Amino acid sequence: MDKIKIKGGKSLEGKIYISGAKNAALPLICASLLTDETVTLTNMPMLSDIKAMNALLEQLGTKIDEFDDFVDGHSTKTYSYRTKEATSLTAPYDYVRKMRASYYVLGPLLARYGKCELSLPGGCAIGARPMDIHLNSLEQMGANIEIKNGYIYASVEKRLKGAHIIFPLVSVGATCNILMAAVLAEGRTILENAAKEPEISDLAHLLNKMGAKIDGIGTSILTIEGVDKLNGATHKVIADRIEAGSYAVAAAITRGCIELVNALPFTLKRPLHILRDMGVKITENGNSITIDARGCTLIGKDIMTEPFPGFPTDLQAQFLALMLTADGASMVTETIFENRFMHVPELLRMGANINVHGHASAIVRGVKRLSGAQVMATDLRASFALILAGLVAEGETIVNRVYHLDRGYERLEEKLRGVGADIERIKESDEE
């Protein structure tokens, strides 16, 4: 497995282009299953999760064409998807185990073809993320659901029926899945307590371009009037707010100054508010954000993860790392996932002062210095927290199992080197 080697102590300065959002692109890809026409997605990130989802759709019978593209002068990818007729309605274990978001094929296949067989999903080991909400909602729409031998067997006679669904808790995955199912259902569907993340709004905008009738975009109540057929469309994937937030922390933790080009400030209101309260200077200018921590003495702040527009769980690990370099103590409270402090033991190896209380909270006390060490990445966002710690640690840090990073951060080493980091990837073949 590849490793990443970092020599810490450099203040980062320059510009970083923020790629298209992985968490938006994955359901957008699956939305292409709802039509027999071509759906073209621009500003696509080049990530292993995208490759995995593309491989799954090709297994289902989707024809995919890939194009090199440029957005605002930066290299990116465009993909076109056409599923004239599915050749399989099964999402097998070998595909789904690699990426939890594979479950996004469930709603579209059930809505268009009336049947889907889906292996129970895998993904990062950050706690149980049950599919009960997805399945119970589809049952309310008339689907028959059976689980056996590690698979979900879903079917419906003729078409799904519109329903008034009240989600028992806010779920991004369930909101996306049921939204895609509802656009081809018979009649009206109302989704209450829907997640309001920008990635869901992005999905709804694509679906409306395809001929869907969705109202309430960006709110907790979505109303969908089902249609008989959807058409193709072209859509630009929104910027990745988690990538932008991660590099914002890289600027702050190294006391540097980075302009985040193609970032969307409205998607990061709470994290930017926390950074300002800590003492970081932030300038918003259209689709760019400048994070300036040069000469700053940062003050620790408490954070609590919440559904959007609250503080995102996917930035918790990165901000926890930042708090290690701030004055005073900070409390980090995790309310979304129950197992999301797995990066803490690795940070302790570098000299961090963190006390975890159960699965829900951690007290972080600022330390005078961190020391480079061999550390092990446990999940996608925790991996970036270790990168951040390595950027400020004295000496050399080696981050192992970096395949997690490749799932969510495009050209990470290249982007960080571009702003002055001493970072390189050590490939397994280089050590032989």
Side-chain angles (χ1 to χ4, degrees), residues 259-270:
E259 181 185 355
L260 308 172
V261 181
N262 189 44
L264 299 174
F266 82 91
T267 68
L268 286 165
K269 284 185 178 179
R270 186 61 187 159

Side-chain angles (χ1 to χ4, degrees), residues 212-255:
K213 297 178 179 178
I214 303 168
D215 287 324
I217 297 173
T219 75
S220 61
I221 300 177
L222 297 171
T223 302
I224 307 102
E225 297 287 348
V227 297
D228 293 334
K229 192 176 187 298
L230 293 178
N231 49 259
T234 297
H235 184 78
K236 179 185 175 183
V237 180
I238 62 168
D240 193 324
R241 63 193 172 103
I242 305 303
E243 185 192 30
S246 299
Y247 288 124
V249 175
I253 201 169
T254 65
R255 306 303 191 265

Side-chain angles (χ1 to χ4, degrees), residues 250-419:
I253 201 169
T254 65
R255 306 303 191 265
C257 180
I258 297 176
E259 181 185 355
L260 308 172
V261 181
N262 189 44
L264 299 174
F266 82 91
T267 68
L268 286 165
K269 284 185 178 179
R270 186 61 187 159
L272 294 179
H273 177 76
I274 295 289
L275 288 173
R276 285 190 175 101
D277 278 356
M278 293 181 72
V280 178
K281 302 181 188 74
I282 298 174
T283 305
E284 300 174 17
N285 184 16
N287 283 2
S288 85
I289 308 169
T290 299
I291 310 295
D292 188 353
R294 291 172 295 185
C296 291
T297 298
L298 301 189
I299 307 300
K301 291 292 175 182
D302 297 344
I303 58 173
M304 176 183 290
T305 63
E306 296 175 299
F308 188 85
F311 191 93
T313 181
D314 279 353
L315 285 176
Q316 178 257 101
Q318 299 91 311
F319 270 73
L320 185 149
L322 175 61
M323 299 306 173
L324 292 170
T325 71
D327 287 351
S330 310
M331 176 173 278
V332 178
T333 304
E334 175 61 58
T335 70
I336 309 297
F337 296 119
E338 77 278 10
N339 196 21
R340 209 155 197 186
F341 289 118
M342 291 188 294
H343 47 289
V344 169
E346 302 304 303
L347 291 171
L348 293 177
R349 289 172 49 77
M350 302 178 70
N353 186 344
I354 308 168
N355 292 304
V356 177
H357 300 273
H359 295 296
S361 63
I363 298 291
V364 184
R365 292 177 175 85
V367 295
K368 290 185 178 180
R369 67 184 183 92
L370 295 171
S371 300
Q374 286 256 6
V375 291
M376 186 77 71
T378 54
D379 64 72
L380 171 54
R381 306 308 173 182
S383 302
F384 203 95
L386 300 179
I387 296 288
L388 291 166
L391 289 172
V392 293
E394 292 182 0
E396 185 176 276
T397 298
I398 303 289
V399 182
N400 295 279
R401 291 175 65 182
V402 296
Y403 63 86
H404 290 292
L405 285 165
D406 297 332
R407 292 184 46 235
Y409 292 96
E410 179 181 348
R411 302 196 303 266
L412 176 139
E413 309 98 272
E414 177 186 328
K415 290 186 178 185
L416 284 173
R417 275 198 302 270
V419 291

